[in-house]
Amino acid sequence: MAASADGFVVGDIIEIKYRVPQFAVDDRPPVTASERWVMAEIIHQDEDSLPMARLADGQVTDIRAYMTWRLVARAAERRFG
């Protein structure tokens, strides 16, 4: 969903689609790409800037308009008690 990310709140969990190159092995084509969904948590959301998320491997990224993402869980749904 490359829709607007305006509705994010800190703590929302999303998945971001990345294209990962796979290099040739044996007689396969030289380079192919596979698509992977990477889990991320929204760590910053402000009216004046792009939302920021921490990826599962600890890296931080902006959520840009061209990125394909899908919502996994809202922060409010994850709170206990």
Side-chain angles (χ1 to χ4, degrees):
M1 167 191 308
S4 172
D6 294 338
F8 286 145
V9 296
V10 172
D12 283 352
I13 301 295
I14 62 171
E15 289 181 327
I16 304 170
K17 186 187 286 188
Y18 283 94
R19 292 184 58 109
V20 180
Q22 293 182 330
F23 298 99
V25 177
D26 300 329
D27 24 337
R28 293 185 189 165
V31 177
T32 59
S34 66
E35 295 178 345
R36 307 239 173 151
W37 288 95
V38 177
M39 184 91 51
E41 180 178 358
I42 303 300
I43 59 170
H44 179 78
Q45 171 65 6
D46 196 1
E47 291 179 19
D48 301 4
S49 62
L50 297 169
M52 293 183 73
R54 182 175 317 282
L55 301 175
D57 66 0
Q59 295 184 67
V60 176
T61 186
D62 294 329
I63 307 301
R64 300 190 177 268
Y66 62 82
M67 296 172 114
T68 302
W69 57 268
R70 59 186 176 197
L71 182 66
V72 174
R74 289 277 181 200
E77 297 169 359
R78 298 178 43 227
R79 301 199 197 289
F80 301 106

